[in-house]
Amino acid sequence: MREKGLTKFMYEVLVTYGPIATFTFPGLGRFVTINNPESIEYVMKTNFDNYIKTPGSRIRLLDLLGDGIFNVNGQMWKFQRKLASHLFYGKNFREIICVVFEEETKKFLKIMEEKANSGEIFDLQELFYRFTLDSFGKITFGLDFDCLTNLKNPVRFAAEFDLAQSITNKRITNPFLWRFNEMFTDEGRKMREACEYLTNFAYSIIKKRRNDPECSKNPKDILNLFMNAEYENGVKLNDKELRDIILNLIIAGRDTTAQELAWMMYNLMENPGVERKLVNEVNSLLSEDNPIPKYDDIKKFEYTQATFYETLRLHPAVPINIKLCLKDDRLPNGTPIYAGELVNWSSWAIGRDERIWDKAKIFNPERFLNSDDGLKPSQYKFTSFNCGPRLCLGQNFATIEAMTLATSLLRIYKFERMTDQKSPPDFAISLTLPMKDPLLVKVHRRN
């Protein structure tokens, strides 16, 4: 079953049978869906250790993600998460992260000026990918992918990464025959070539770092943190382990924020009233003398943050989560789950559930401003950043990155979506939730 079909199938199960339901896929066994906050909190927090990433899923993701943070359980996951958390300290935000966001935003604004002058039609989602890859490369590895300064040149790393993600996701929806298919098909050959390129790329970064003692002394670089880290026995990470960490961090730092920016801009173009309110807020806080928000200013953009969260509610970066139950268990409502069965929930479906969200299908940022939870919604209701011990480390990172670029852009420019595109856009087969087709727009200067 294709991921698009699985995502929408999960929504149909929710609508037809309610938040707690069971179904069986031939060869995969019994699934228990838990699309309600109480059950999600139980699985992802209360009895967290009893639910792990499935071994089958881990094998299918191994070529791309290896033993990185998104593909491991237990101590290895805890070790990587603890180290990665150092990137997101407040001091790092102020001195490194927001400085890079500002630099890359200036480049993006310059590109918009050129496109406004030319009147050309372009793919806005592709530009967001370039923005986030440049930003994340500089922040975590001190590496400039040069995406925004060479728009005419395809970014091979990004192309190979996207190809590998797409094929990896097909494995998940074809769990029994993917090995055989890839052994004899052109798609399998492309997957092997893509993974080889990505691996060699990561190894080249590591080799360069190992050969540059001065560079390796920078304590604020996330790659250095991992290169200098030691296991309890005093052994440091080898190149293969570092390769896995690099590729896992890039999928987190590049893909999800770029996709959410694209979905956010689409929703603003479809909801001019929301756009008007957001631009009014931006104009009240930014000016010609202060065109890009500083770290201390970001929290003032409450309506912009609510708009970003509303985008995530309807277009979560990871639409489906699946866990394996280790020991017989019982949900808070009494539903039994037996060892070896699969538990799943869909953030995409939950975001459209009228039992959880009032007028769920309407794009309405005010729901976050006017609710009791405000801009700190329950992570078991608003699961777009995952939840419990696996709550996304980069939540603030992604929010600040998106808001920095969006506020700076929308103060000056207005986007016009080409009318011959499907609305709403389809999402593509991927580990995350990109738009299937380019987001084709023209950009105009505001009056």
Side-chain angles (χ1 to χ4, degrees):
M1 181 184 292
R2 292 169 65 86
E3 175 65 14
K4 177 183 173 183
L6 181 58
T7 298
K8 293 192 175 180
F9 169 76
M10 294 279 286
Y11 175 68
E12 290 168 2
V13 169
L14 173 64
V15 170
T16 305
Y17 301 104
I20 309 295
T22 67
F23 54 90
T24 301
F25 280 142
L28 292 178
R30 180 173 176 255
F31 281 68
V32 181
T33 67
I34 56 167
N35 287 319
N36 72 328
E38 183 183 28
S39 298
I40 292 173
E41 182 173 4
Y42 177 79
V43 167
M44 290 300 292
K45 178 185 176 184
T46 308
N47 203 13
F48 175 77
D49 290 335
N50 194 43
Y51 297 90
I52 64 170
K53 290 183 175 292
T54 68
S57 176
R58 171 174 157 72
I59 291 171
R60 291 186 284 274
L61 293 170
L62 201 61
D63 288 340
L64 178 60
L65 300 184
D67 293 314
I69 191 169
F70 296 126
N71 206 32
V72 289
N73 296 297
Q75 288 302 119
M76 189 61 177
W77 167 74
K78 291 178 182 178
F79 174 75
Q80 292 187 41
R81 183 178 174 89
K82 181 178 179 181
L83 283 174
S85 68
H86 290 285
L87 174 64
F88 304 109
Y89 283 143
K91 188 176 181 182
N92 275 358
F93 266 112
R94 188 184 302 275
E95 296 182 359
I96 303 171
I97 294 173
C98 288
V99 171
V100 171
F101 289 165
E102 183 172 349
E103 291 172 352
E104 297 305 312
T105 295
K106 288 177 180 177
K107 292 181 184 178
F108 204 102
L109 292 173
K110 184 177 179 181
I111 293 168
M112 290 301 99
E113 180 69 12
E114 294 169 355
K115 293 192 178 298
N117 289 336
S118 68
E120 70 176 282
I121 298 171
F122 62 96
D123 180 3
L124 186 55
Q125 180 174 238
E126 169 61 20
L127 279 183
F128 287 146
Y129 277 129
R130 288 175 175 265
F131 171 82
T132 55
L133 185 56
D134 270 356
S135 298
F136 202 73
K138 286 184 178 180
I139 289 166
T140 54
F141 315 121
L143 177 68
D144 190 351
F145 283 92
D146 210 22
C147 299
L148 289 177
T149 51
N150 288 292
L151 293 182
K152 293 182 180 180
N153 295 334
V155 182
R156 185 179 177 189
F157 178 90
E160 301 287 6
F161 204 78
D162 290 342
L163 175 68
Q165 280 196 71
S166 178
I167 296 174
T168 295
N169 207 65
K170 289 180 182 179
R171 293 177 175 181
I172 297 172
T173 56
N174 183 21
F176 304 111
L177 298 177
W178 67 267
R179 288 183 188 274
F180 180 81
N181 288 346
E182 289 184 20
M183 194 178 299
F184 300 105
T185 62
D186 188 53
E187 187 172 75
R189 176 187 59 79
K190 290 180 179 178
M191 178 65 174
R192 290 187 289 275
E193 289 176 353
C195 289
E196 181 181 9
Y197 172 83
L198 295 171
T199 295
N200 290 338
F201 187 95
Y203 284 157
S204 70
I205 295 174
I206 297 164
K207 182 178 179 181
K208 184 177 180 180
R209 187 63 58 86
R210 291 199 190 281
N211 292 337
D212 187 349
E214 289 303 314
C215 195
S216 64
K217 293 177 182 177
N218 180 3
K220 298 174 182 177
D221 186 302
I222 192 68
L223 179 56
N224 283 346
L225 286 172
F226 281 102
M227 291 182 73
N228 295 325
E230 297 178 349
Y231 292 111
E232 291 181 358
N233 60 4
V235 175
K236 290 189 175 183
L237 280 70
N238 61 39
D239 286 3
K240 167 62 170 58
E241 290 168 324
L242 290 169
R243 172 266 186 203
D244 296 345
I245 288 166
I246 286 174
L247 295 184
N248 277 251
L249 287 176
I250 288 175
I251 196 174
R254 170 204 175 227
D255 290 31
T256 55
T257 308
Q259 291 160 13
E260 293 307 325
L261 278 164
W263 288 112
M264 180 176 172
M265 292 302 172
Y266 161 75
N267 279 293
L268 288 173
M269 287 184 276
E270 292 292 300
N271 296 274
V274 174
E275 181 183 17
R276 199 158 42 244
K277 292 178 182 178
L278 191 152
V279 172
N280 286 339
E281 177 179 78
V282 169
N283 286 334
S284 71
L285 294 168
L286 296 180
S287 65
E288 289 291 335
D289 296 329
N290 181 32
I292 300 173
K294 306 297 182 186
Y295 174 72
D296 291 332
D297 297 329
I298 288 290
K299 60 181 177 293
K300 299 175 184 177
F301 292 85
E302 293 186 354
Y303 192 85
T304 305
Q305 183 173 338
T307 303
F308 183 59
Y309 278 11
E310 181 70 345
T311 301
L312 280 158
R313 181 182 70 84
L314 288 171
H315 312 280
V318 180
I320 292 176
N321 275 277
I322 301 175
K323 301 292 180 185
L324 174 70
C325 178
L326 295 178
K327 299 178 181 178
D328 291 356
D329 200 4
R330 194 172 292 274
L331 293 176
N333 76 333
T335 300
I337 304 175
Y338 301 105
E341 293 186 334
L342 299 174
V343 178
N344 62 83
W345 73 94
S346 169
S347 298
W348 194 89
I350 292 170
R352 289 161 171 74
D353 189 355
E354 300 284 348
R355 285 161 291 209
I356 296 176
W357 301 98
D358 182 46
K359 299 179 180 177
K361 293 182 181 179
I362 296 176
F363 189 81
N364 176 28
E366 272 90 349
R367 73 175 75 246
F368 287 99
L369 297 174
N370 298 333
S371 73
D372 293 337
D373 294 330
L375 289 171
K376 293 185 178 180
S378 165
Q379 58 186 268
Y380 305 103
K381 171 183 175 182
F382 179 66
T383 58
S384 298
F385 289 111
N386 214 329
C387 51
R390 283 192 178 266
L391 182 68
C392 176
L393 279 173
Q395 178 175 347
N396 288 336
F397 182 100
T399 301
I400 292 174
E401 181 177 27
M403 290 174 63
T404 299
L405 182 58
T407 53
S408 304
L409 270 180
L410 292 168
R411 184 183 74 86
I412 306 172
Y413 299 106
K414 182 177 181 65
F415 294 98
E416 174 193 359
R417 183 170 178 264
M418 298 298 97
T419 56
D420 58 346
Q421 299 175 93
K422 184 176 180 180
S423 183
D426 285 331
F427 46 87
I429 295 175
S430 177
L431 298 178
T432 49
L433 197 75
M435 292 183 181
K436 180 180 179 181
D437 300 311
L439 179 59
L440 298 178
V441 302
K442 284 185 178 180
V443 62
H444 309 278
R445 293 183 196 84
R446 296 189 185 275
N447 293 331

